[in-house]
Amino acid sequence: MKVVVAPDSFKGTFTAQQAAMAMAEGIAQARHGTDIALKPMADGGEGSLDVVLSGTAAQRVSMATVDSYGREITAEYGWDNGTAWIELAQASGLHFLPEFLHHPEQRNQWAMRASTWGTGQQWRHALARGAHTIFFMIGGSGTTDGGFGLLSALGALYRFQKEVVPGTDARQLALPVQIEEVETVRQLLAPIKIVVATDVTNPLWGPRGAAAVYGPQKGLSPAGVRQRDEELRRFGEALVRAAKTADASVMEEEGMGAAGGAAFPLRVLGREVRLARGADLMVTATGLAEEIAQADIVFTGEGATDAQTLSGKVPMAVLNLCRQYQKPCIVVSGHLGEGAEQLKTLGNVWLEQATPRGATAQDIQQHGYQWIAEAAARALLLATSGA
C-alpha cells in the first residue's frame, strides 16, 4: 500500500512537516510496511518557503535585510536555476510585530510604520542573481503599505518638496509624494515572469480594501484604517500617473489588496504578472498530482477544518486531486468545525478530529503530536476495514 501524506500546517502548533511526520507515525503503527510519501503543503503564507524547499529542487539562499520596522535580520528565499521563490513573511511578516504592544495606539503606530522594503531587498538580490521567474508568496503579511517599500527597494524615488523620502517607513505615505524613476523599475521587471500566490480578492482601497479588511489584524486602529485607506488611494493614483500605461481601475482589481497591497506596484509595472491560488501553486510546484496518481490512499489536514476549507485551502486542493484520480482521502484536523461535513459530499472522504473535546492550548502543545498520530491510525483502520 502506498500512502501520500499532504497536510497544511496546524497553525500555532505544528508546521506542515511536523504534522505530516505525526500522521506518518500513526499510519506506520496501524499498518506495518506501508510505503509513505511525505508531501507537506502550504497555501502561499508563512511556511510556504519550507514546503518549496522540501518538495522541489530549489536551494535555500540566505541574505541580510531588514524586517518591517527596519531592524536588521537574515531572511531566506528559494533559488532553482533562475527561478526564485520569495515568501513575503520572511522579511515583512506579521510575526515581527512586538508582542509587548498591548495599548491599541502603540500597535497602531507600529502598524503604520510597517514597510515591505526588506522584502524588496530580497527581490533585488534575486534579480541580481539573474532571476527570470519569481513566485511571490504573500500570505502572513504584517504590512499595509501598498508595496510602497518594495517599490522603493526596486529603485523608485519618492520626492516631497524636492526632498527624497525613504521607503523604509510607511508613515511617509502620509506625504503627497511624487514618484520618480518608474521607468527604471519597469525595465528591471520587464524580462521577469511574476506569479503572485494569494487567495485574497480584495481591491487596494475602499470598504473591501487592504486597510479596511485586514488592517485591524495587523494593528491599525479605526482611525489608522481610515488614514491608511486614504493614503493607499493617493499612492495608487500617484503610481498610475507616473506609470502612464495604466489607469486608476487597476486599484480596483481583485487581489490588489492582498498582503496590504504588496503586489500592486508589480501589477502596474510588471510585463507578465498573474495571480494564483496559493494552495494550487504549491500543489503544482511540489508535483503532488503525480504522487497522488500513484497512491492507494491520501491523507491531508489542517488546524481547523470548516466551511472555509471549501474556498481553496490546502485540504480542498488535495481533495480535488483525489477526486480527479479517484483516490480515497482522509482529512485529519485538529478541530472539525461547522461545514466540515460538506467535504464528504465529494465522495470517498473520511474526516477525523485529532484534538479531544475540552483540550486546552497547553494540552495541545504537550500531546497534539501524539493525538495527530493516533487520529491518523484510527482513520486508516476505518477507511481500509473493508479492504
Side-chain angles (χ1 to χ4, degrees):
M1 170 181 274
K2 177 175 179 177
V3 178
V4 172
V5 182
D8 195 357
S9 63
F10 283 44
K11 288 184 172 58
T13 51
F14 302 105
T15 66
Q17 182 72 29
Q18 290 169 331
M21 291 174 63
M23 291 182 195
E25 286 187 18
I27 293 165
Q29 291 168 8
R31 189 155 179 163
H32 299 295
T34 301
D35 178 10
I36 304 172
L38 299 185
K39 301 292 286 188
M41 298 300 294
D43 60 3
E46 190 173 356
S48 294
L49 178 61
D50 288 336
V51 167
V52 169
L53 292 171
S54 66
T56 73
Q59 301 298 307
R60 193 182 303 272
V61 177
S62 296
M63 58 166 291
T65 184
V66 298
D67 70 7
S68 316
Y69 311 103
R71 300 173 298 192
E72 294 182 356
I73 59 168
T74 298
E76 300 172 333
Y77 65 89
W79 180 263
D80 180 15
N81 194 30
T83 296
W85 298 81
I86 297 178
E87 180 188 290
L88 180 139
Q90 281 279 318
S92 307
L94 183 58
H95 61 281
F96 288 114
L97 185 67
E99 294 182 0
F100 62 76
L101 300 175
H102 301 301
H103 192 280
E105 189 50 40
Q106 280 186 316
R107 290 177 61 84
N108 180 67
Q109 287 300 317
W110 278 74
M112 294 293 278
R113 285 174 53 192
S115 167
T116 51
W117 193 85
T119 297
Q121 290 299 304
Q122 291 187 285
W123 274 73
R124 288 300 295 253
H125 196 273
L127 291 169
R129 285 177 65 110
H132 56 69
T133 303
I134 296 181
F135 290 96
F136 193 26
M137 304 170 290
I138 63 175
S141 157
T143 56
T144 313
D145 73 343
F148 176 80
L150 187 149
L151 182 59
S152 173
L154 289 177
L157 287 179
Y158 303 129
R159 200 177 297 277
F160 174 67
Q161 295 180 351
K162 298 183 180 181
E163 295 293 327
V164 174
V165 172
T168 53
D169 187 336
R171 287 176 296 187
Q172 304 292 350
L173 279 166
L175 304 174
V177 296
Q178 179 179 344
I179 306 176
E180 301 175 0
E181 299 297 334
V182 167
E183 191 58 33
T184 300
V185 178
R186 195 199 311 276
Q187 292 301 316
L188 185 66
L189 297 177
I192 313 303
K193 177 183 177 182
I194 300 169
V195 181
V196 180
T198 179
D199 297 336
V200 170
T201 59
N202 305 74
L204 181 65
W205 72 285
R208 293 183 54 252
V213 176
Y214 301 105
Q217 72 187 40
K218 299 176 185 182
L220 291 179
S221 67
V225 166
R226 291 190 295 272
Q227 177 182 335
R228 182 49 52 88
D229 186 56
E230 173 61 20
E231 290 169 355
L232 289 176
R233 180 192 66 78
R234 192 167 59 230
F235 173 69
E237 291 176 346
L239 180 55
V240 167
R241 283 195 305 271
K244 299 179 181 177
T245 56
D247 59 58
S249 65
V250 70
M251 295 189 292
E252 301 172 10
E253 289 184 7
E254 290 190 352
M256 290 301 96
F264 174 68
L266 304 174
R267 168 67 182 84
V268 174
L269 299 175
R271 180 181 58 83
E272 186 179 353
V273 182
R274 72 177 180 89
L275 274 59
R277 280 191 179 275
D280 293 341
L281 181 61
M282 294 294 105
V283 163
T284 301
T286 57
L288 182 62
E290 291 81 357
E291 290 281 359
I292 288 178
Q294 303 299 319
D296 294 300
I297 194 165
V298 178
F299 277 73
T300 187
E302 60 187 333
T305 297
D306 52 30
Q308 292 185 33
T309 299
L310 282 81
S311 66
K313 290 189 176 182
V314 164
M316 193 64 197
V318 176
L319 284 165
N320 283 336
L321 281 176
C322 289
R323 183 165 55 172
Q324 178 182 338
Y325 291 103
Q326 298 182 330
K327 307 292 183 178
C329 187
I330 294 172
V331 181
V332 175
S333 289
H335 173 71
L336 296 174
E338 186 175 351
E341 290 291 319
Q342 296 179 53
L343 296 177
K344 289 186 175 181
T345 63
L346 299 174
N348 225 3
V349 176
W350 285 263
L351 303 178
E352 190 70 30
Q353 178 167 305
T355 306
R357 289 185 178 180
T360 66
Q362 185 177 0
D363 292 334
I364 294 171
Q365 290 290 345
Q366 286 184 318
H367 308 293
Y369 188 93
Q370 184 60 34
W371 288 342
I372 294 172
E374 293 170 354
R378 287 195 306 270
L380 180 63
L381 292 173
L382 180 63
T384 59
S385 58

